[in-house]
Amino acid sequence: MKMRLLTGWQARFHVVWLLMLLSALVAGAWPGSAHAQAQVSPLPSETVAVEPLQAPLAAAPAAAEAAVPTFDHGDVAWMLTSTLLVLLMVVPGLALFYGGLVRSKNVLSILSQILVVFSLVLLLWVAYGYSAVFSTGNPFFGSFTEFAFLKGFTPESVGNTPIKGLPDYLFVAFQSTFAGITTALIVGAFAERIKFRAVLLFSALWFTLSYIPMAHIVWGGGYLGELGAIDFAGGTVVHINAGVAGLVAAWFVGKRLGYGQTALKPHNLPFTYIGAMLLWVGWFGFNAGSAAAADTVASLAFLNTVLATAAAVLGWTLVEAITKGKPSALGAASGAVAGLVGITPACGTVGPLGAIVIGFVAGVVCVWGVTGLKRLLKVDDTADVFGVHGVGGIVGAILTGVFSAQSLGGTKADLDIAHQVWVQVVSVGLTVLWSAVVTTLILLVVRSVVGLRVTEEAERTGLDVTSHGESAYEA
């Protein structure tokens, strides 16, 4: 329908200006909205064409939002909590557990060694450890420089780590606690007779040459990962690795004065008990946190950590009751740690029944590890690092290949149990061999550079006074 009112160039001219005036009024009414302004100066003889400009502008914010990496806030909250729980495992958990096992004249030395070693490794992890584990390289090492000092990471960066749904810094922080506690575990093996500077030099070298390659081999795309070895939270990388290193180090440093001749009893079993229970609480971050999400896998790992630990406590207590006639509080606490160690590689892939079996077997076998095997090896492993972490880790790693099968309640469908057990045995053997050889070479270097053992006089007086100038219990 034609309207004569709008015919002619004068009418069209006035209509255009009226529309521009209305647009200006609308823009003034909503100053916060996104808008574009087109300046048109029509000639009297031209027909003005009005094109819609808002459609492409409306799509721009959506495209910008899609380009920004996102993450699940629930997953982030759980992983922040898990990182704090693993920190709790070390200080004060592990420190109190080991501190109660040594004599009163050496308790401050062991507390100091664990705290300082843990702190040292955290810094080395950021300097080059993360890069060497999680960057592309060869089957045993990544690049020491690609992500050195977290190069290329920012507080806003997401998706540059193996876990795409977490902020980069959070994944780095979580993994740093694993590196720190693994190295600190070894301290208990040679407690009460080693030089403080020897501990620090050994820890730096061992972290670089044993923890980093094993973590890369298993979790960073290296040889064992490609082979199909199952190690959900660190049976080989953490416990067998540290346990073997502790055994070799205890042999190198030698036995404590009076070992095998006089009773070298723990000075504070309540310390050890509290430390073990803090380890149990913190281990939920260690195991369930390794799911890297607040999901069903984390729930499975959480439940398995409960059940395996309880089964190991009962297993250790039962063996002590049968063999000694009386169960001990130290045995129950040690059984809890043995169960935690045993379920670590399996917690995300076995079912509840498998967790109970693994925990019980680990508790029973580790009793032999800290008694019969220890006497057989003729080594003074002060805090039984190998007897609990080494032996428990081996038991857990091998049984993971059995109970991860869906037919036995696990999560792995069509798992060939015989083949998987063989892969697990290969992973255990490689870890034992690597850790033993590397630890031996490192100790030879440390012994030649700073020496290993304190003087006999210092050992008799106690490391608290001779190494740190302090005393935990004033007379």
Side-chain angles (χ1 to χ4, degrees), residues 69-124:
T70 59
F71 49 81
D72 186 283
H73 289 266
D75 292 344
V76 172
W78 168 239
M79 292 307 297
L80 287 169
T81 304
S82 295
T83 303
L84 287 175
L85 287 172
V86 182
L87 176 63
L88 179 73
M89 291 173 65
V90 191
V91 281
L94 182 66
L96 286 175
F97 184 79
Y98 283 173
L101 292 175
V102 300
R103 289 166 290 178
S104 59
K105 62 184 179 180
N106 297 312
V107 59
L108 293 181
S109 71
I110 196 72
L111 298 181
S112 298
Q113 287 173 18
I114 290 174
L115 176 59
V116 176
V117 165
F118 184 67
S119 301
L120 171 65
V121 172
L122 294 184
L123 297 182
L124 295 179

Side-chain angles (χ1 to χ4, degrees), residues 181-250:
I181 192 173
T182 304
T183 312
L185 282 173
I186 306 170
V187 169
F190 44 57
E192 299 196 289
R193 73 267 199 198
I194 192 171
K195 294 179 179 179
F196 187 66
R197 58 181 178 270
V199 173
L200 297 184
L201 179 57
F202 169 82
S203 298
L205 294 174
W206 190 87
F207 162 74
T208 304
L209 300 175
S210 193
Y211 181 82
I212 285 177
M214 285 308 309
H216 181 75
I217 288 169
V218 177
W219 295 329
Y223 172 71
L224 290 179
E226 293 293 331
L227 190 64
I230 302 174
D231 189 355
F232 189 79
T236 52
V237 178
V238 177
H239 298 293
I240 300 175
N241 199 10
V244 172
L247 178 66
V248 174

Side-chain angles (χ1 to χ4, degrees), residues 413-467:
D414 301 323
L415 181 72
D416 184 336
I417 294 178
H419 172 73
Q420 189 61 48
V421 168
W422 170 247
V423 172
Q424 298 300 110
V425 170
V426 170
S427 70
V428 169
L430 177 60
T431 306
V432 170
L433 181 63
W434 184 283
S435 183
V437 172
V438 170
T439 303
T440 298
L441 295 175
I442 290 172
L443 287 167
L444 290 173
V445 172
V446 174
R447 187 168 65 182
S448 64
V449 174
V450 298
L452 290 175
R453 189 158 183 154
V454 299
T455 64
E456 183 176 332
E457 180 183 358
E459 187 175 345
R460 293 188 185 281
T461 303
L463 301 188
D464 289 359
V465 172
T466 58
S467 296

Side-chain angles (χ1 to χ4, degrees), residues 117-177:
V117 165
F118 184 67
S119 301
L120 171 65
V121 172
L122 294 184
L123 297 182
L124 295 179
W125 177 255
V126 170
Y128 59 83
Y130 175 84
S131 180
V133 172
F134 290 107
S135 64
T136 303
N138 57 53
F140 299 96
F141 287 94
S143 169
F144 280 80
T145 58
E146 183 175 350
F147 301 122
F149 290 99
L150 306 185
K151 181 172 56 179
F153 286 23
T154 68
E156 291 77 25
S157 63
V158 176
N160 296 316
T161 68
I163 305 300
K164 302 303 181 184
L166 297 177
D168 295 341
Y169 281 162
L170 178 52
F171 181 75
V172 172
F174 180 66
Q175 286 295 327
S176 73
T177 59

